[in-house]
Amino acid sequence: MSDTTNTNTSMDINEIRTILPHRYPFLLVDKILAYEKGKWIRGIKNVTINEPFFGGHFPAYPVMPGVLVIEALAQVSVILAYKSETTGGAGGIILFAGIDEARFKRQVLPGDTLVLEAEMIRTVRGVGKYSVRALADDKIVCEAVLMAALRPPLPGTLNNKNEG
């Protein structure tokens, strides 16, 4: 991922909430630092001891579950998809479709600032593929290739936006 002059500025939590349907305790992106439409995105998750999962994972040695690191990476990938307009203006929601090549290299602990990066590999017929990685203290925590698929909303649900 490269920083270029053709990038957009950051997004705060209020703008993130207009894009992602997730809410506490499952909204795992606090801020978008920068992105380039159709190419890459970089965001952060501030990990605190107050996270609800630390009470059970593990009380004597709190570690952020790897599946939640992957979920945070999926959420920044979805933001990139919406900002890149790869959804074709269609309503619906982008859902997790697959994980390949996932590797966990370091634990995520309370106090870490998790830097979340996603690079768009391709989007074909509503399915996007992303190369992702998470870093803490400039060290790679996790790397993977994720897939996400655009699906129509369920009847009676909001169209990719939640109030709350």
Side-chain angles (χ1 to χ4, degrees):
M1 256 164 279
S2 62
D3 287 2
T4 68
T5 57
N6 190 22
T7 61
N8 295 299
T9 57
S10 66
M11 295 169 45
D12 67 14
I13 191 65
N14 295 316
E15 188 174 356
I16 291 168
R17 287 170 47 98
T18 67
I19 296 169
L20 292 178
H22 307 78
R23 294 297 178 264
Y24 179 84
F26 231 71
L27 179 57
L28 298 174
V29 180
D30 293 323
K31 184 176 185 176
I32 297 300
L33 301 172
Y35 66 92
E36 186 173 352
K37 286 182 179 184
K39 298 197 182 228
W40 60 269
I41 192 166
R42 183 175 298 114
I44 59 170
K45 162 70 178 150
N46 293 307
V47 182
T48 71
I49 192 63
N50 296 324
E51 306 287 348
F53 49 79
F54 283 138
H57 196 268
F58 304 101
Y61 187 76
V63 176
M64 183 175 182
V67 295
L68 293 180
V69 174
I70 292 287
E71 175 63 28
L73 289 163
Q75 289 179 19
V76 296
S77 299
V78 166
I79 294 169
L80 178 60
Y82 280 118
K83 285 302 202 176
S84 300
E85 301 165 358
T86 59
T87 60
I93 190 165
I94 298 175
L95 299 173
F96 212 168
I99 298 175
D100 291 321
E101 304 171 38
R103 297 290 178 266
F104 298 93
K105 301 182 183 268
R106 180 185 178 279
Q107 298 162 353
V108 178
L109 306 172
D112 283 343
T113 297
L114 204 53
V115 177
L116 308 163
E117 299 178 340
E119 194 168 340
M120 190 176 286
I121 297 172
R122 71 176 172 272
T123 301
V124 178
R125 293 187 300 271
V127 177
K129 192 170 187 179
Y130 304 86
S131 174
V132 300
R133 71 181 190 164
L135 300 102
D137 295 326
D138 294 321
K139 294 181 183 112
I140 295 174
V141 168
C142 173
E143 295 177 298
V145 174
L146 305 181
M147 289 177 288
L150 179 66
R151 295 294 176 248
L154 295 172
T157 62
L158 294 173
N159 188 12
N160 104 6
K161 303 204 189 298
N162 274 354
E163 297 175 9

